[in-house]
Amino acid sequence: MKLGAFSISLSVKDINASKLFYENLGFSVFAGDLAKNYLIMKNGNTLIGLFQGMFEDNLLTFNPGWDENANKLESFNDIREIQQHLKAKGANLTTEVAENSNGPANFLIQDPDGNMILLDQHV
């Protein structure tokens, strides 16, 4: 199963303080919009999303169809295919994608320890 780019999406209290902290660790702004309270920070191939006021807990995030530079992959598993695979394995999804849809979509699933995983396809 090709899940695409991986990042951790952090729910932060003060996006400016978090931005400075991660810049001090060698990250730089890669994408996002500070005015909209979200940034994607990058250090090499490592991605961290900073999100203020958008969700309660931290998320593991996969982006089917993208590499770590937000370039479209030639070959990837569509999010609906991933969802169908997980459901066939008995997974309980927190949210689902309409199976008859196409293009960008996302869904959430929770691992056995309660960690939320966001699959977020942009292509």
Side-chain angles (χ1 to χ4, degrees):
M1 192 68 42
K2 297 177 184 178
L3 299 177
F6 171 76
S7 63
I8 186 154
S9 298
L10 302 176
S11 176
V12 300
K13 295 177 186 170
D14 180 338
I15 195 160
N16 290 302
S18 295
K19 176 182 180 283
L20 179 60
F21 177 84
Y22 285 100
E23 284 174 336
N24 289 338
L25 282 177
F27 285 81
S28 58
V29 174
F30 174 69
D33 187 339
L34 193 57
K36 293 182 180 178
N37 290 325
Y38 80 99
L39 294 173
I40 309 302
M41 308 285 293
K42 188 170 183 187
N43 181 334
N45 292 333
T46 303
L47 296 166
I48 296 175
L50 306 177
F51 298 86
Q52 182 178 322
M54 294 187 180
F55 46 85
E56 289 185 34
D57 298 316
N58 299 331
L59 302 169
L60 302 175
T61 303
F62 295 94
N63 299 112
W66 272 6
D67 68 12
E68 69 276 1
N69 293 308
N71 294 316
K72 185 177 178 183
L73 298 170
E74 287 187 32
S75 174
F76 66 95
N77 293 104
D78 183 81
I79 195 163
R80 283 150 286 270
E81 181 183 345
I82 296 167
Q83 175 179 277
Q84 184 178 31
H85 171 82
L86 292 170
K87 288 172 72 174
K89 295 288 186 181
N92 293 318
L93 281 62
T94 304
T95 62
E96 293 188 26
V97 175
E99 292 185 14
N100 61 351
S101 65
N102 57 48
N106 64 68
F107 70 82
L108 287 165
I109 188 168
Q110 197 171 33
D111 79 7
D113 295 303
N115 298 304
M116 295 301 292
I117 301 169
L118 171 66
L119 283 96
D120 191 15
Q121 181 173 306
H122 296 276
V123 294

